[in-house]
Amino acid sequence: MKKEIMQGNAAIARGAWEAGVKVAAAYPGTPSSEILREFAENYPDIYAEWAPNEKVALEVASGAAIAGVRAMASMKHVGLNVAADPLMTLAYTGIKGGLVIVVADDPNVHSSQNEQDSRNWTRFGKVPMLEPGDGQECKDFTKIAYEISEQFDTPVLLRSETRVSHSDSPVVLEDRVEPKIVPGLDPKEAPKYVMVPMNVRVRRKFVEERMKKLEEYANTFKYNIMEINDTSVGVISSGVSYMYTKEVFPEWSYLKLGMVWPLPKKLITEFAKKVKKIVIVEELDPFFETEIKAMGIKIWHGKDVIPNMYELSPEIIEKALKGKKYKEPKIRVKPEDLPRRPPNLCAGCSHRPLFYALKKLGAFVFGDIGCYTLATAPPLQAIHTTICMGAGVGQAHGAMKALGKEWLGKVVAVLGDSTFLHGGVTPLMDIVYNKGNATTIILDNMITGMTGHQEHPGTGFTARQEPTHMIDYAELGKALGVKSIRHVDPYNIKETMDIIKEEMNKDEPSLIICKDSPCMLLRRAKPLERFKYPFYFVDNDKCRGCKMCLEINCPAISWKEGEGQTKDGHKRKGTAYINKDQCVGCEVCVQICKFEAIVPGTK
Amino acid sequence: MKNNEKTTNIFLSGVGGQGAILASNILGEVFLKAGYDVKKAEVHGMAQRGGDVTTHFRFGKKVYSPLIKYGDVDFLLSFELLEAMRYINWVKPEGKIIINKQQIYPPAVNLGLMKYPEDVEKTFKKFFKDNVWVVDGQGIARSLGNLQAANVVLVGAFSNFFPELKPEQFIDAIKGLLAPKLHDLNIKAFYEGRKAL
Ligand SMILES: Cc1ncc(C[n+]2csc(CCOP(=O)(O)OP(=O)(O)O)c2C)c(N)n1
Ligand code: SF4
Ligand code: SF4
């Protein structure tokens, strides 16, 4: 028996491989991205692709499933909003080969734009959902999800979350078993897959019957586990919430639900009879609580004490359930008094000069989600909205329609390359079609930066690193009907400002594309080669201590306090200092210094 | 080996790029092979971009929660002084603290807006008396000719707290996790660290 420590996401991928999965598609999103990366890097038996967005990923996976092979689509919680359209109808058509959709929540928004509880999709979509709590369960639940999918003719949702996806624990490895279904397409099955009203009505009934059968199945499902210990308190919980609670209250009795939906009503009623008081511990929404209360079961504690926002943890659960008896650990140092260590754009990142330019122009920036969202933090503070991927483009158009031509020159939409391809193309089409005049800037750093460097249709490489067609954003813009298309070199601040200003002032749609500005961490693009000098340093004879260069928040630049003066006698309170180990020589600060105090160095 | 019924909680903290993740991976291999259940939760949101990194590492007969309960840390293994201080309240009164002497200034300090805490070592000693060990990971790694090995120096120092484990068990893990060309350096780093306490 081979046992390995695995990350939850790696265990999901392993489970899919063992279950005989053949096709996997995903769009990256924390904390789900490693699942597809695992397929691409470690499982040649599985065709793995990065799709341009989650809707496409689910469509690809479901097409494979309809063709009779086992398939997986994986995404973060907000990704399922994008993929909800196919999901809600796939729930009716069902599949042939097993289809599992992994959706990874992010309680406490470690890296997300909202905190939605994906369990709500399962009731809404009328499909079953499983929820693992550690690595072994990630693997086991993935495998059984495929059995359920095929047995009940349904897509199955597998819900993970940050602490499951990004925790490591031992997992027992088994072999791959090829599924028994013979792949192929059969036109005679059209009534099952063509969702016109006549067929929908038939499948609609099937869905209700399926959910009833699944509820029966849930009552004996082997991962809905009753543990009877001390019967004074019985906890109903699932996933990692169970792990936390079991840690603090090992003596209590438990009903651990491996299947979140449908609920095993018989089993819950039986459990309620065995224990005196029921506690429901669940992260985020009162999903179980609402349902179990509706069954007429009395609950001792649930969301009256367990928080319905942010993430749970052992101490939060202990405190909630022990109340006054909880002993708060001693505070030795107030952490809020310590300097924080917020994330920052890398030294040399092309987003820095671009947003500095926008700030200088005083533009209102309809922003988006990516590394560049870091430009919302002080001192740059140059992003003014962040909603969802692609939103800024349509919003800039809407704002310009609302405000009229006096606002020309003051509004812009900015988004990353991956974000543009995910959701920015259709709103750009809209601007042209509806005679708008908004300006869109694509920050083309040639990779999906924020989520850890995934390929996309604009990078020229597939998930497996094979060279492929690379989208030309200017050609795409042209095809959509944009007439004014410009390229800018963001590292040239003055020129970038001039071009952006010109385009924002035009009473027509404009598209600006950042050129030759790869992500600093993208080795194959050799990002440092475009810089003339390996680093810069501050000439103490010239630095007047004006702090202008600190305005760009480059991690290489710091402030050294100390009264003094320049060589030509200007008094100063301190000087800027460049850490040459961190500086990459991007020359951005050089353009900001008015006193020519930042000079090139040689290594 | 499985006489220890209780779960042991190790909290690792540092700054992105310091190699805290490798350190926790070594511990994971060692304790798994020694027959324990292991759980490890990493928080590295945007570590690549200079943020802080923490790992909750737990081992025992059966481990449920991937997260350590606040106030329940048995060992704080920190790669940076400020990042040690940030988690001082997490440590049990009888907990042990192993800190790397390195200081990495966060932006607020770099920009002259806040002071870097001067008295980290003293503060820990005030609360934890003799249970505090400070290691010069960078100094030792530099003497071996490669600053990158500071994380394994720390692992070496930390290994002293588990007398039931042989150095070879750690060496095996190091070999399993690193490319062959890095073996010699890191094995040396491990032993130098082990001698440092
Ligand atoms: C619907 C949805 N899917 C995925 C994500 C996760 N996500 C956040 S930013 C981002 C990609 C950003 O890449 P890019 O636009 O190229 O900008 P960069 O980070 O490279 O600057 C992704 C995938 C999300 N927030 N929403
Ligand atoms: S990872 Fe790339 S895109 Fe993100 S901050 Fe660094 S250089 Fe910029
Ligand atoms: S040249 Fe200036 S802005 Fe660019 S990395 Fe160096 S210090 Fe930072």
Side-chain angles (χ1 to χ4, degrees), chain A residues 168 318 332-333 341 559, chain B residues 40 69 83 88-89 91 110:
Chain A
D168 300 29
E318 184 174 35
R332 302 172 181 115
V333 170
R341 219 181 272 280
W559 177 247
Chain B
K40 174 154 96 69
K69 193 172 85 179
E83 294 314 314
I88 190 170
N89 302 327
V91 188
N110 267 338

Side-chain angles (χ1 to χ4, degrees), chain A residues 347 528 531-537 556 578-586 599-603:
Chain A
L528 303 185
F531 303 139
K532 267 194 302 250
Y533 297 98
F535 67 91
Y536 282 80
F537 67 91
I578 293 178
N579 179 342
K580 78 171 177 117
D581 294 333
Q582 278 178 292
C583 174
V584 296
C586 77
V599 293
T602 42
K603 274 197 175 152

